[in-house]
Amino acid sequence: MRRREYDEDDVRVRPGKGSRPRTRIRPAHEDAVEGFVVAVDRGRYTCLVTSGKGKRAQSRTVMAMKARELGRKGIVVGDRVALVGDVSGAVDTLARVVRVEERRSMLRRSADDTDDGIERPIVANADQLVIVTALADPPPRPRMIDRMLVAAFDAEIEPLLCLTKSDLADPEELVAQYSPLDVPYVVVHKGGSLDELRSHLTNRISVLVGHSGVGKSTLVNVLVPDANRAVSHVNAVTGRGRHTSTSAVALQLPEGGWIIDTPGVRSFGLAHISVETVLASFPDLNEGTVGCPKGCTHLDAACALDAWVAAGHADPARLASLRRLLSSRDGAPEV
């Protein structure tokens, strides 16, 4: 009997991982609908989809997951995304996020004030950063305010100081501290009018940030009556509040616009932000750094900014504010 000759048809080869032919051609998803991410929870994205225009516009909530083709690209509250699949918003349905539209802005912070420089995105496409701080109970933390201002300058988001509990302390001292920076502010107290604050928020996307216990959730519940955000009291021993907001969520204002409530923070890392980024927000001082030595931190005696200010090119209060922000960026102790 003639011996059989084997060929490739007789050998069964199991395909290895990644053996599927790859192509650069990806679906265009031209039928995708636009959604606005209002909440993120463990890989599920709550998106608001609006159909129609003007008085006929109707909105529905669609739950979605991230499509595999997006890889590790993060999705945060405030993102504009493209959705495919079941976008009816019916119970137990799930759409797919196939594209994240270009962001106008991105608010970031470094985790736990470490020096790893790793950026943690918080909110996308915000127009305004509302820094909520109490004037008493708990007392103001200027270093925290400074760090949030640096984050706003980095993200190119307009800052707004919202000073709460003015019935317990006079805002004049804190307002004077930030007047050289020309940061707008509003002063409120429990039971008082919020009309001035509403005028800053209407028809804009605003992010509310602040450490625990400053009354941020209380403000949100007044601005958006059906928000039902949990509130807490300040610990009498530590002088700090308890975290009541556990995740960022976007809430639509009755007058138009959005506010994004974020969890109370006890630290706001800025390791990812360079000295040059902070300086860019001080054009009257930036030119004076030409005479600074290489690698100047602008915090020591060799800095040329002292001579620049002494020559009358800038206000000394502005230099003091810049150095306070730079010190806060480097993690100087809070005062």
Side-chain angles (χ1 to χ4, degrees):
M1 181 181 293
R2 185 179 177 183
R3 188 175 181 178
R4 183 183 173 191
E5 295 182 6
Y6 291 95
D7 58 23
E8 62 271 13
D9 292 330
D10 296 294
V11 181
R12 186 176 180 181
V13 179
R14 295 181 63 186
K17 292 183 178 180
S19 62
R20 182 179 178 181
R22 304 188 69 119
T23 175
R24 293 184 178 180
I25 301 175
R26 293 288 184 267
H29 297 298
E30 294 178 354
D31 59 339
V33 300
E34 182 179 315
F36 177 66
V37 180
V38 297
V40 178
D41 183 21
R42 292 170 292 184
R44 292 294 182 266
Y45 305 94
T46 305
C47 305
L48 191 70
V49 175
T50 303
S51 57
K53 295 182 179 180
K55 296 182 179 179
R56 296 185 177 181
Q58 293 183 338
S59 299
R60 62 185 183 277
T61 300
V62 176
M63 294 298 296
M65 61 177 290
K66 183 170 65 174
R68 187 176 181 181
E69 62 201 70
L70 289 181
R72 295 187 177 183
K73 185 176 181 64
I75 302 173
V76 297
V77 173
D79 267 325
R80 298 281 179 180
V81 297
L83 302 168
V84 299
D86 194 332
V87 294
S88 64
V91 178
D92 296 330
T93 60
L94 195 63
R96 287 186 300 129
V97 178
V98 293
R99 186 171 61 251
V100 178
E101 306 297 348
E102 184 178 355
R103 293 160 172 162
R104 294 184 289 107
S105 65
M106 172 61 77
L107 181 65
R108 303 175 173 90
R109 73 181 179 109
S110 302
D112 301 324
D113 285 339
T114 60
D115 295 327
D116 59 8
I118 299 176
E119 301 176 6
R120 280 16 179 218
I122 303 175
V123 170
N125 299 316
D127 303 309
Q128 183 172 234
L129 180 66
V130 182
I131 304 170
V132 184
T133 186
L135 294 166
D137 191 32
R141 295 166 62 186
R143 292 295 186 192
M144 177 68 80
I145 299 173
D146 292 345
R147 296 170 80 78
M148 292 177 182
L149 283 174
V150 171
F153 295 151
D154 172 63
E156 298 183 350
I157 300 174
E158 295 180 20
L160 172 69
L161 281 179
C162 180
L163 308 179
T164 64
K165 305 185 183 181
S166 61
D167 52 322
L168 302 180
D170 191 334
E172 184 177 350
E173 182 179 350
L174 193 62
V175 169
Q177 188 171 347
Y178 290 96
S179 59
L181 294 173
D182 296 323
V183 178
Y185 68 91
V186 294
V187 180
V188 300
H189 65 271
K190 187 175 182 179
S193 172
L194 296 183
D195 289 346
E196 185 179 2
L197 177 59
R198 284 192 177 95
S199 67
H200 285 277
L201 303 178
T202 302
N203 296 325
R204 308 186 77 186
I205 299 178
S206 303
V207 187
L208 271 63
V209 295
H211 55 278
S212 303
V214 298
K216 185 163 53 67
S217 295
T218 301
L219 279 178
V220 172
N221 287 335
V222 176
L223 293 168
V224 187
D226 57 349
N228 296 321
R229 300 295 275 175
V231 297
S232 69
H233 300 287
V234 177
N235 188 299
V237 177
T238 64
R240 293 182 173 181
R242 179 173 60 86
H243 296 309
T244 51
S245 301
T246 57
S247 60
V249 60
L251 302 164
Q252 194 163 18
L253 292 166
E255 304 83 10
W258 293 83
I259 54 173
I260 300 176
D261 186 20
T262 60
V265 294
R266 288 178 180 157
S267 64
F268 206 97
L270 302 174
H272 61 285
I273 298 179
S274 67
V275 173
E276 290 72 24
T277 298
V278 182
L279 267 171
S281 301
F282 291 79
D284 53 334
L285 295 172
N286 204 4
E287 188 178 346
T289 62
V290 174
C292 290
K294 186 177 181 180
C296 182
T297 62
H298 309 297
L299 297 173
D300 51 38
C303 179
L305 286 175
D306 291 288
W308 178 263
V309 171
H313 297 296
D315 189 337
R318 292 275 291 172
L319 178 57
S321 296
L322 169 65
R323 286 178 169 163
R324 195 177 70 239
L325 295 182
L326 291 176
S327 297
S328 295
R329 170 192 167 276
D330 292 337
E334 293 188 3
V335 294

